[in-house]
Amino acid sequence: GETRRSNFEAACNKLLEAGYHLAFSSNQDNHCANWGVSYTNRTAVLVPNGVPLTRDSFIEALRARRVFATMDKASQIVLTANGHLMGERFDNRGPLQLSVQFANDAGRRAATVAIMEGVPGRNGKVSQLAAQASVILRPSPGPHFYYAKLTQDDGKVLWSAPVWVNQKAD
């Protein structure tokens, strides 16, 4: 009978802005007889295609922060930045293309997509950069992080892991 769902997006944003390298996760903490199946919240770990699923490949994916949080276990979200996969830290010169991919095995669709942006160490506010699945921008020089937040047509939300970009001057 528990119906309350909470998320800690604001707390994660504060930590990201403070300079921590973290990725979103989701799960459930209920006290019902159907524990483990009453909610569809999950943290997903991306092991690259063609790599056997082993303990070592799973741990490597976790260490690389190739994860996403989802309120729908049938959904997937992946954020890339100039071909770099979510969770990565890299230097960039020139334009930066951010792309969000979404899939759902149960026929759900994306109602909204938001690409969020912040500056590690600024201790400011994370803001929405774009309301579309793909955007090309030229960030100002210095460090930035970006993540995707997608809301499905049923209201369930997914968060990608961030990418951390150190934009170099041209």
Side-chain angles (χ1 to χ4, degrees), residues 4-16 22-29 41 69 71 147 149 159:
R4 190 180 130 250
R5 289 189 184 194
S6 59
N7 79 58
F8 295 92
E9 182 178 3
C12 289
N13 282 343
K14 192 170 189 172
L15 290 168
L16 287 165
L22 60 90
F24 293 90
S25 64
S26 183
N27 212 318
Q28 54 183 307
D29 179 18
N41 294 38
M71 291 179 163
Y147 70 85
K149 178 182 177 180
W159 295 265

Side-chain angles (χ1 to χ4, degrees), residues 4 9 13-14 26-27 37 41 49 53 55-56 60 62 68 72 82 103 127 130:
R4 190 180 130 250
E9 182 178 3
N13 282 343
K14 192 170 189 172
S26 183
N27 212 318
V37 295
N41 294 38
N49 284 333
L53 179 57
R55 182 179 188 275
D56 289 342
E60 170 56 29
L62 281 175
F68 63 88
D72 182 343
N82 286 2
S127 59

Side-chain angles (χ1 to χ4, degrees), residues 86-165:
M86 59 190 187
E88 289 189 49
R89 298 185 232 180
F90 64 96
D91 292 334
N92 186 64
R93 286 190 195 285
L96 179 69
Q97 181 172 8
L98 300 166
S99 299
V100 180
Q101 301 295 318
F102 168 73
N104 177 279
D105 292 342
R108 290 288 174 202
R109 298 172 111 131
T112 63
V113 178
I115 297 177
M116 309 301 288
E117 175 183 34
V119 175
R122 173 179 66 180
N123 292 312
K125 298 279 186 198
V126 175
S127 59
Q128 184 172 322
L129 171 72
Q132 59 219 35
S134 184
V135 65
I136 299 173
L137 66 143
R138 189 176 291 269
S140 60
H144 303 267
F145 64 83
Y146 305 93
Y147 70 85
K149 178 182 177 180
L150 184 141
T151 304
Q152 295 181 165
D153 56 4
D154 62 356
K156 292 182 179 174
V157 182
L158 294 88
W159 295 265
S160 75
V163 290
W164 289 269
V165 179

Side-chain angles (χ1 to χ4, degrees), residues 62-83:
L62 281 175
R63 285 187 178 136
R65 287 173 299 281
R66 288 192 305 263
V67 300
F68 63 88
T70 178
M71 291 179 163
D72 182 343
K73 66 183 179 181
S75 293
Q76 300 174 38
I77 187 171
V78 175
L79 172 69
T80 58
N82 286 2

